[in-house]
């Protein structure tokens, strides 16, 4: 198996990874399945090598792309022509729909992929077409959103994970007085803003119950509870890095991994990143409480494996998709990437991951933005910009919420 990192021009990338019609050089007699995705190449090497051992007649030729924007453009172009992959990582929910509506993907059913019958409907929904209800991908991950913290910094300063909102602010004050940035967070990359707003705000607006009311048009995002939730970004600004709106996502990661910041509000995917890039930092996690009590941990289905409708190896691609829906792959995925596999019944070996799983089972909620990311421009893009303007002091939290309402009203 070969996995190349794509740092080349679009035309070269889509040409190099066309669905194979013959065995590649060095793999005579084998069928080659091309797979496109993103992420560290070593992870794909380890996971897909296991499939190749079970299926010696198949070579999985995977390609990882460097950024999400590169990947989305290249995948769309590749699938539109004859140069796309046999299988590919797909975005979830709203971002999946353009490919579905364009007829680029093969619908999947339990006859070809039996494991789909066991998936939680809430997880599977992110891989379905909105209009036809068909499944177009095998979900690969469930992400949770929480605060990651440096255990040594906490211990050195006599701090424990906060059980109350007042305790969280008191601990942040204590850290700041010692010259430690309480929360490593940056608003320059606006896609992170709804994520962090959700980490601190979901319990304020009432989680899934509130989202159901908005979908049913019983409430709007300008509701005082939602406004209070996103206003947490303003209230916590003193505990963020200086000039937070100019701090990039990568800058925030560096602040935390270097020990200059004690906490990092972010996704579960950060555990693997910090595990590789901050090996000396012992990580812990907690869900921020609210003034009213315990918090809620947002989560979402993070993409799926789809099959190119133009694949020249349909039978082999579907067999591979069936393996991707199996517990064997689910365990490999969880243990390799330190992220929850979407495959049901997979128990994490990693103690910290198991701790997060327990918390999510008890206090889980839906990440709001993925449910309201439709439209053109998408409501997610509109609201991300509004939150950035809010951090810069150009609009209020209420005005940011009103902008989200205006965007959602164009498609809901």
């Amino acid at each position: 198996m070969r996995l190349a990192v794509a740092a080349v021009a679009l035309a070269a990338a889509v040409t190099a990874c066309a669905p194979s019609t013959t065995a590649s050089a060095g793999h005579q007699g084998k069928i080659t399945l091309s797979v496109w995705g993103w992420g560290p190449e070593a992870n794909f090497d380890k996971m897909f090598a296991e499939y190749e051992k079970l299926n010696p007649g198949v070579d999985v030729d995977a390609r990882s792309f460097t950024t999400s924007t590169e990947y989305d453009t290249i995948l769309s172009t590749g699938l539109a022509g004859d140069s796309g992959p046999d299988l590919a990582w797909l975005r979830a929910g709203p971002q999946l729909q353009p490919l579905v509506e364009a007829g680029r993907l093969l619908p999947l059913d339990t006859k070809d992929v039996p494991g789909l019958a066991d998936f939680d409907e809430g997880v599977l929904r992110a891989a379905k077409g909105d209009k036809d209800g068909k499944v177009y991908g095998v979900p690969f991950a469930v992400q949770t959103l929480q605060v990651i913290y440096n255990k040594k910094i906490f211990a050195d300063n006599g701090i424990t994970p906060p059980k109350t909102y007042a305790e969280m602010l008191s601990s942040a004050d204590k850290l700041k007085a010692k010259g430690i940035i309480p929360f490593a967070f940056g608003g320059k990359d606006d896609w992170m803003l709804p994520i962090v707003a959700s980490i601190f705000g979901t319990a304020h607006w009432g989680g899934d119950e509130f989202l159901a009311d908005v979908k049913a048009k019983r409430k709007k995002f300008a509701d005082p509870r939602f406004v209070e939730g996103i206003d947490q970004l303003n209230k916590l600004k003193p505990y963020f890095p200086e000039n937070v709106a100019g701090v990039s996502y990568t800058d925030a990661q560096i602040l935390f991994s270097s020990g200059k910041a004690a906490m990092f509000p972010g996704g579960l995917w950060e555990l693997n990143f910090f595990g590789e890039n901050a090996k000396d930092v012992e990580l812990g996690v907690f869900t921020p409480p609210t003034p009213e009590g315990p918090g809620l941990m947002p989560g979402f289905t993070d993409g799926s494996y789809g099959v190119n409708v133009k694949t020249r190896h349909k039978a082999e691609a579907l067999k591979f998709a069936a393996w991707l829906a199996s517990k064997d792959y689910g365990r490999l995925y969880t243990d390799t990437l330190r992220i929850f596999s979407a495959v049901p019944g997979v128990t994490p070996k990693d103690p910290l991951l198991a701790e997060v799983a327990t918390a999510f089972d008890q206090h889980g909620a839906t990440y709001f933005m993925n449910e309201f990311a439709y439209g053109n421009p998408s409501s997610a893009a509109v609201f991300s910009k509004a939150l950035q303007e809010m951090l810069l002091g150009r609009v209020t939290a209420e005005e940011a919420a009103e902008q989200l309402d205006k965007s959602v009203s164009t498609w809901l």
Side-chain angles (χ1 to χ4, degrees):
M1 178 182 67
R2 174 182 64 83
L3 191 146
V5 175
V8 294
L10 173 61
V14 297
T15 301
C17 283
S20 303
T21 55
T22 60
S24 58
H27 299 280
Q28 297 300 321
K30 288 186 177 183
I31 291 294
T32 298
L33 290 177
S34 59
V35 182
W36 289 4
W38 63 86
E41 60 184 70
N43 294 332
F44 289 94
D45 283 333
K46 180 177 180 179
M47 294 187 295
F48 293 167
E50 293 300 314
Y51 184 78
E52 292 173 335
K53 290 178 185 177
L54 297 170
N55 299 271
V58 176
D59 179 58
V60 182
D61 181 13
R63 174 163 293 206
S64 177
F65 293 86
T66 54
T67 69
S68 59
T69 51
E70 274 185 351
Y71 179 76
D72 292 344
T73 301
I74 291 172
L75 179 62
S76 178
T77 303
L79 293 179
D82 294 322
S83 56
D86 294 293
L87 298 99
W89 279 23
L90 307 174
R91 301 296 183 183
Q95 293 174 290
L96 170 67
Q97 303 315 310
L99 295 178
V100 171
E101 293 172 12
R104 310 297 188 211
L105 304 170
L106 190 69
L108 306 177
D109 57 37
T110 54
K111 177 184 176 182
D112 294 315
V113 187
L116 289 175
D118 300 322
F119 275 69
D120 179 86
E121 180 56 32
V123 171
L124 206 56
R125 183 165 58 88
K128 287 185 174 183
D130 277 348
K131 296 178 181 178
D132 62 13
K134 294 180 180 180
V135 177
Y136 288 92
V138 178
F140 56 73
V142 173
Q143 301 283 5
T144 58
L145 307 176
Q146 56 278 299
V147 173
I148 301 167
Y149 70 94
N150 184 318
K151 285 189 172 183
K152 185 177 187 303
I153 292 178
F154 269 37
D156 289 348
N157 290 277
I159 295 171
T160 58
K163 292 183 171 55
T164 67
Y165 188 81
E167 187 181 345
M168 183 175 74
L169 297 187
S170 175
S171 296
D173 281 325
K174 189 172 184 179
L175 290 165
K176 188 175 180 180
K178 295 287 186 68
I180 301 167
I181 299 169
F183 295 100
F185 164 59
K188 185 176 181 179
D189 299 292
D190 60 22
W191 65 272
M192 273 296 291
L193 291 166
I195 288 174
V196 177
S198 184
I199 289 171
F200 292 108
T202 296
H204 286 265
W205 60 70
D208 290 9
E209 183 180 351
F210 176 76
L211 299 188
D213 284 340
V214 174
K215 288 180 179 179
K217 300 185 178 181
R218 292 187 292 267
K219 289 184 178 179
K220 292 187 175 183
F221 284 107
D223 184 278
R225 293 178 66 189
F226 185 80
V227 172
E228 172 63 20
I230 64 172
D231 196 43
Q232 294 304 304
L233 293 183
N234 289 323
K235 292 182 177 179
L236 294 171
K237 194 183 295 186
Y239 308 114
F240 295 151
E242 188 176 352
N243 187 29
V244 62
V247 176
S248 72
Y249 170 65
T250 301
D251 291 336
Q253 287 180 314
I254 293 172
L255 287 172
F256 181 79
S257 59
S258 65
K260 293 180 180 179
M263 295 174 276
F264 187 98
L268 194 66
W269 60 88
E270 303 292 356
L271 296 185
N272 193 49
F273 176 84
F274 290 131
E276 290 296 321
N277 296 280
K279 295 182 184 296
D280 295 333
V281 177
E282 186 178 1
L283 305 174
V285 298
F286 70 87
T287 302
T290 71
E292 291 74 33
L296 291 173
M297 181 182 287
F300 61 94
T301 303
D302 189 16
S304 63
Y305 282 99
V307 178
N308 186 349
V309 72
K310 295 181 181 180
T311 178
R312 297 181 179 93
H313 301 300
K314 180 178 176 180
E316 291 81 5
L318 288 173
K319 184 178 179 181
F320 185 56
W323 180 74
L324 294 169
S326 70
K327 287 185 179 179
D328 286 342
Y329 177 71
R331 282 188 284 267
L332 268 174
Y333 188 92
T334 297
D335 295 341
T336 302
L337 275 72
R338 211 178 181 187
I339 292 173
F340 297 133
S341 166
V343 178
V346 176
T347 303
K349 293 179 182 178
D350 183 281
L352 185 57
L353 207 58
E355 180 185 330
V356 176
T358 299
F360 189 59
D361 285 343
Q362 295 174 349
H363 307 292
T366 301
Y367 172 50
F368 80 103
M369 199 74 268
N370 278 16
E371 299 292 306
F372 294 89
Y374 296 88
N376 186 22
S378 75
S379 294
V382 170
F383 191 52
S384 294
K385 292 294 184 185
L387 289 177
Q388 194 173 58
E389 291 291 293
M390 184 188 78
L391 267 187
L392 289 166
R394 296 171 182 169
V395 301
T396 65
E398 185 174 7
E399 288 169 334
E402 288 171 350
Q403 288 187 37
L404 178 56
D405 277 325
K406 183 178 180 180
S407 176
V408 168
S409 70
T410 65
W411 56 262
L412 181 62

